[in-house]
Amino acid sequence: KIYSRLVSMKLKPFVELSFMPDTMASGTETICHYKGNKTPPKDYEIWGNYITQLVQHLVDVFGIDEVSTWFFEVWNEPFGKTFWTGTPEQYYRLYNYTALAVKSVSDRLQVGGPALCCVNPADLDAFLNFTFQHKLPIDFVSWHSYSNTKLSLSSWVATNVVPLQNVVASHNASLPVYVTEWSSACCAPQTGYDDEYNAAYLIYVAKYFQDTIYSEQQDSMIKWMSYWSISDVFEEGGFNSNEFNGLYGLQTIRGIPKPAFRAMELLHEYGGNVSYTAQLLSGGNANDTVIVYGLKQMQSSNRYAVFVANFNSQQLPIEEHDLSIYVHNEAEYSLLETVVMYRIDANHTNPIVAWKNMNSPLYPSQQQLQTINASSQLVAMQNVPWKQVNTTTVRIDFTIPIHGVALLDIQYS
């Protein structure tokens, strides 16, 4: 039913092949509220046959044309004892049997791993050495990547992303990389997951990653990054009844959109494939926390979006800034018609504030939920004033607070 639901929504499952069924497990060690068994199989042949039957069933139900667009990832974070009690060598053996089982159904199916966590290039290098030396199927490399509250983004990319990219490149492998978990910090609970911090992070890195990790989009080995996670309905630590509890989700357990959800909504609604040169002309951007970028809206020929975010990692310096945004339009025959602003910050689009103002009710009433949900909505601030600098340039002045987001929806006639 879950797979059918995902397919009906035109989503492509990324299937994590874990945990170990108790009857196949070599031990009893488990993890999380749901007690997932994290031990190697007693018999790798039986495990391989089990995977073959699972994958064959999926192909029988959904067809090879559909399932060949899915991804099969072997286990979750196997290096370390959190999700896997076995040795690296036992994981390599698990990968061997699993990858061959998947491909025994059809060579068109995509399989890979190792869902690496806690950046250690040596672990990835050893895994790739094993797969290539034994000529095992591998269609992609996957890892998890969480920013650090103590490091600047530039330091984090240099120490957590580039070393892994270098390992993949060192094997001369044209393998795509999928970052199958990613967010502003690890691990939950984190206060930033619930408030404006993660919204500012998302708007900031949408441009920052484009300039660094994806500087050559078509040639970048990292093809996409999957935000973790969609919802706070997340049972690893049991079921928390609080509406805001510092979990990873874009939405609370009762579906209230968090500021990060609204940041994603802005990127979806106002993003585009055409970007414009943006320069920070002032020397007052302390610690390089402010980022500005302009995008052409795909659904309109005369609308443009200017994204602004003021972000730094939680334990690094940041302050609010008074900004003057100059928008230059070379099409002199077009007149600026309207400027609409959307904000996400401590005072706008921030439902946790409304919840706290109610004394943080454990079980909000229906009326309280309606109030909280209303406070999460993006509100269009109409008729934002601008100053005409010359025939092609206007200036828009406003203040961007700490961990604030602003979106300028600019429309020409």
Side-chain angles (χ1 to χ4, degrees):
K1 288 183 178 179
I2 294 173
Y3 288 121
S4 296
R5 174 64 172 160
L6 294 174
V7 171
S8 73
M9 297 168 66
K10 302 188 185 305
L11 297 176
K12 301 298 182 183
F14 205 104
V15 183
E16 177 190 297
L17 297 171
S18 72
F19 290 95
M20 190 60 59
D22 288 340
T23 56
M24 299 182 194
S26 61
T28 59
E29 292 93 335
T30 64
I31 188 172
C32 300
H33 172 76
Y34 44 72
K35 298 189 182 303
N37 191 296
K38 58 180 184 175
T39 68
K42 287 184 293 190
D43 187 314
Y44 286 82
E45 290 281 357
I46 293 176
W47 165 261
N49 290 335
Y50 169 68
I51 295 300
T52 299
Q53 293 178 51
L54 168 66
V55 175
Q56 183 64 62
H57 172 71
L58 294 173
V59 170
D60 290 344
V61 172
F62 298 103
I64 187 60
D65 288 342
E66 171 62 32
V67 182
S68 64
T69 65
W70 301 6
F71 307 87
F72 293 91
E73 184 180 47
V74 182
W75 213 256
N76 175 59
E77 301 180 3
F79 303 119
K81 297 300 182 182
T82 304
F83 289 95
W84 174 253
T85 63
T87 64
E89 290 71 25
Q90 287 173 303
Y91 173 70
Y92 304 155
R93 191 178 182 194
L94 184 84
Y95 183 87
N96 184 343
Y97 278 83
T98 308
L100 292 176
V102 171
K103 291 293 188 179
S104 72
V105 177
S106 173
D107 191 54
R108 293 173 61 186
L109 299 173
Q110 301 178 75
V111 65
L116 182 72
C117 187
C118 303
V119 177
N120 187 344
D123 288 335
L124 181 59
D125 188 50
F127 167 72
L128 291 176
N129 279 334
F130 180 86
T131 58
F132 290 129
Q133 287 172 7
H134 293 81
K135 296 181 170 56
L136 296 177
I138 181 167
D139 298 302
F140 62 86
V141 173
S142 63
W143 66 64
H144 301 165
S145 199
Y146 290 87
S147 298
N148 189 301
T149 59
K150 299 179 181 179
L151 292 178
S152 66
L153 283 172
S154 60
S155 296
W156 175 76
V157 169
T159 57
N160 288 260
V161 179
V162 172
L164 297 178
Q165 289 178 304
N166 290 341
V167 168
V168 177
S170 71
H171 288 270
N172 297 315
S174 56
L175 291 172
V177 171
Y178 303 125
V179 181
T180 49
E181 289 184 24
W182 153 71
S183 190
S184 64
C186 187
C187 294
Q190 294 276 346
T191 57
Y193 291 143
D194 287 340
D195 61 24
E196 69 275 9
Y197 177 81
N198 253 30
Y201 171 80
L202 288 172
I203 298 298
Y204 193 103
V205 300
K207 174 61 173 172
Y208 184 80
F209 287 170
Q210 191 74 33
D211 292 342
T212 53
I213 298 173
Y214 297 102
S215 56
E216 298 293 338
Q217 179 67 40
Q218 299 305 316
D219 297 325
S220 175
M221 67 176 65
I222 299 178
K223 298 307 178 185
W224 49 254
M225 302 171 71
S226 177
Y227 185 86
W228 189 259
S229 60
I230 293 174
S231 171
D232 279 351
V233 179
F234 178 80
E235 71 278 24
E236 280 193 357
F239 293 95
N240 195 316
S241 297
N242 269 348
E243 200 62 32
F244 295 93
N245 49 62
L247 288 181
Y248 301 95
L250 292 171
Q251 302 175 83
T252 69
I253 58 173
R254 296 176 181 84
I256 302 295
K258 298 182 187 180
F261 182 102
R262 297 306 184 189
M264 291 282 198
E265 185 177 2
L266 288 176
L267 289 167
H268 174 77
E269 182 70 21
Y270 293 95
N273 294 326
V274 178
S275 63
Y276 296 88
T277 302
Q279 292 179 293
L280 291 175
L281 303 178
S282 170
N285 185 15
N287 304 301
D288 295 324
T289 64
V290 176
I291 200 166
V292 180
Y293 51 100
L295 299 176
K296 175 73 175 66
Q297 291 188 41
M298 290 185 291
Q299 71 273 26
S300 175
S301 61
N302 60 344
R303 291 176 68 186
Y304 303 83
V306 176
F307 288 84
V308 183
N310 186 16
F311 175 82
N312 208 357
S313 298
Q314 284 178 332
Q315 300 184 45
L316 297 181
I318 187 171
E319 59 189 50
E320 73 172 30
H321 288 278
D322 294 324
L323 300 181
S324 293
I325 304 293
Y326 291 82
V327 181
H328 179 69
N329 174 31
E330 293 184 356
E332 294 187 36
Y333 54 86
S334 296
L335 298 176
L336 182 57
E337 190 172 279
T338 61
V339 177
V340 176
M341 179 184 287
Y342 297 91
R343 282 187 175 272
I344 305 173
D345 52 48
N347 298 312
H348 302 88
T349 322
N350 208 331
I352 192 173
V353 175
W355 179 70
K356 288 180 177 179
N357 288 340
M358 301 171 180
N359 296 319
S360 307
L362 182 60
Y363 298 105
S365 67
Q366 196 61 38
Q367 184 175 356
Q368 286 175 322
L369 285 173
Q370 290 174 357
T371 300
I372 297 169
N373 188 61
S375 70
S376 81
Q377 304 299 313
L378 288 162
V379 177
M381 302 176 185
Q382 304 286 347
N383 302 316
V384 174
W386 73 84
K387 296 180 180 179
Q388 196 77 41
V389 177
N390 54 43
T391 56
T392 60
T393 305
V394 298
R395 190 184 83 201
I396 305 165
D397 299 325
F398 62 94
T399 298
I400 189 78
I402 292 172
H403 299 143
V405 168
L407 182 284
L408 300 173
D409 178 12
I410 300 173
Q411 182 165 345
Y412 290 85
S413 60

